[in-house]
Amino acid sequence: MKSQARKLERVAVAQAPSDRPERYEVEQAVRTMIRWAGDDPERDGLRDTPDRVARAFEEYFTGYAQDPTEILQKTFEEIEGYDEMIVLRGVRFESHCEHHIAPIVGRAWVAYIPQGRVVGISKLARVVDIYAKRLQIQEKMTAQIANTINDVLKPQGVGVIIKATHHCMTTRGAHKPGTDLVTSRMLGVFRDNALTRQELLGLANSDD
């Protein structure tokens, strides 16, 4: 039931809402924000900024138009019985926090132990990107990546570790540069077997 609920949630998110604003409305909102900040959106340096911001948002949030489950559909079963850990280390990503729309910049370590089939490693990186290209909190993003891989590939286990810097904390608010947030999600053997979990944590820490 939980797996089906997550699938329906992903499909719903991927569909554009019927009340999505038109492009001109977005640009007008940017002009309003510029005026609110205290500047003139019609001066030379800012005249094209609303268009640039709209185009940037299209790039930042491409993940809403993509379904990560489709990315993982093509798998390979001729693996000669391989059943050891597969780890894609240090996948760089850029996201934005849903509280301040401030950048989140970090890296992800994605691991799974196959059960009869594997997926191309670039697909793991694409799953990270799809969830990153949405308004996020890091804890939710970590769980989404792990849950999706677990639901689609049905491996023996999945482990996801994310280390990221949050600009909502480093450039505003608390103003604590040099800090990062570390989150993890362990499923299957990564949760049940302490040695397997420790092996992944060691691989992630050795990559710092």
Side-chain angles (χ1 to χ4, degrees):
M1 289 293 291
K2 289 183 179 179
S3 174
Q4 181 64 18
R6 281 197 292 266
K7 181 178 180 181
L8 291 173
E9 180 188 31
R10 284 193 296 269
V11 171
V13 167
Q15 293 174 341
S18 58
D19 60 347
R20 184 179 183 182
E22 297 293 333
R23 175 65 171 269
Y24 76 88
E25 294 179 271
V26 176
E27 294 183 13
Q28 184 56 47
V30 176
R31 292 186 185 93
T32 299
M33 292 178 67
I34 292 172
R35 289 200 304 273
W36 181 79
D39 215 321
D40 177 9
E42 297 305 319
R43 70 176 176 84
D44 287 346
L46 290 173
R47 189 170 294 135
D48 294 329
T49 296
D51 173 66
R52 294 189 189 104
V53 172
R55 284 188 282 115
F57 268 47
E58 287 174 341
E59 182 178 344
Y60 294 157
F61 303 121
T62 55
Y64 286 112
Q66 301 176 67
D67 182 358
T69 63
E70 293 182 2
I71 301 298
L72 298 173
Q73 291 303 317
K74 184 176 181 179
T75 58
F76 307 94
E77 298 182 358
E78 296 179 358
I79 60 174
E80 298 295 330
Y82 185 89
D83 61 357
E84 300 293 333
M85 190 184 304
I86 297 170
V87 187
L88 188 60
R89 301 197 303 169
V91 181
R92 191 180 188 280
F93 68 86
E94 301 91 28
S95 187
H96 287 79
C97 83
E98 64 184 42
H99 300 139
H100 304 95
I101 318 185
I104 302 171
V105 180
R107 294 188 297 163
W109 287 256
V110 181
Y112 71 102
I113 297 179
Q115 190 157 247
R117 59 186 181 138
V118 299
V119 69
I121 58 174
S122 67
K123 304 300 190 293
L124 299 176
R126 290 184 65 186
V127 170
V128 172
D129 276 341
I130 288 172
Y131 282 120
K133 297 298 185 183
R134 300 177 182 184
L135 291 169
Q136 280 290 9
I137 63 171
Q138 185 174 323
E139 296 87 343
K140 179 181 177 182
M141 177 179 163
T142 306
Q144 287 175 322
I145 295 168
N147 292 341
T148 298
I149 294 170
N150 192 61
D151 290 348
V152 178
L153 299 185
K154 303 191 184 307
Q156 297 181 55
V158 179
V160 175
I161 300 170
I162 292 180
K163 303 178 183 182
T165 297
H166 293 242
H167 286 221
C168 61
M169 179 175 175
T170 62
T171 63
R172 61 159 302 281
H175 288 283
K176 298 299 181 185
T179 61
D180 62 5
L181 180 67
V182 181
T183 53
S184 66
R185 171 76 159 170
M186 305 290 173
L187 300 173
V189 294
F190 287 95
R191 179 183 290 270
D192 300 334
N193 189 313
L195 290 176
T196 302
R197 181 169 61 254
Q198 193 59 44
E199 181 181 354
L200 173 58
L201 292 171
L203 287 170
N205 291 332
S206 68
D207 208 34
D208 284 341

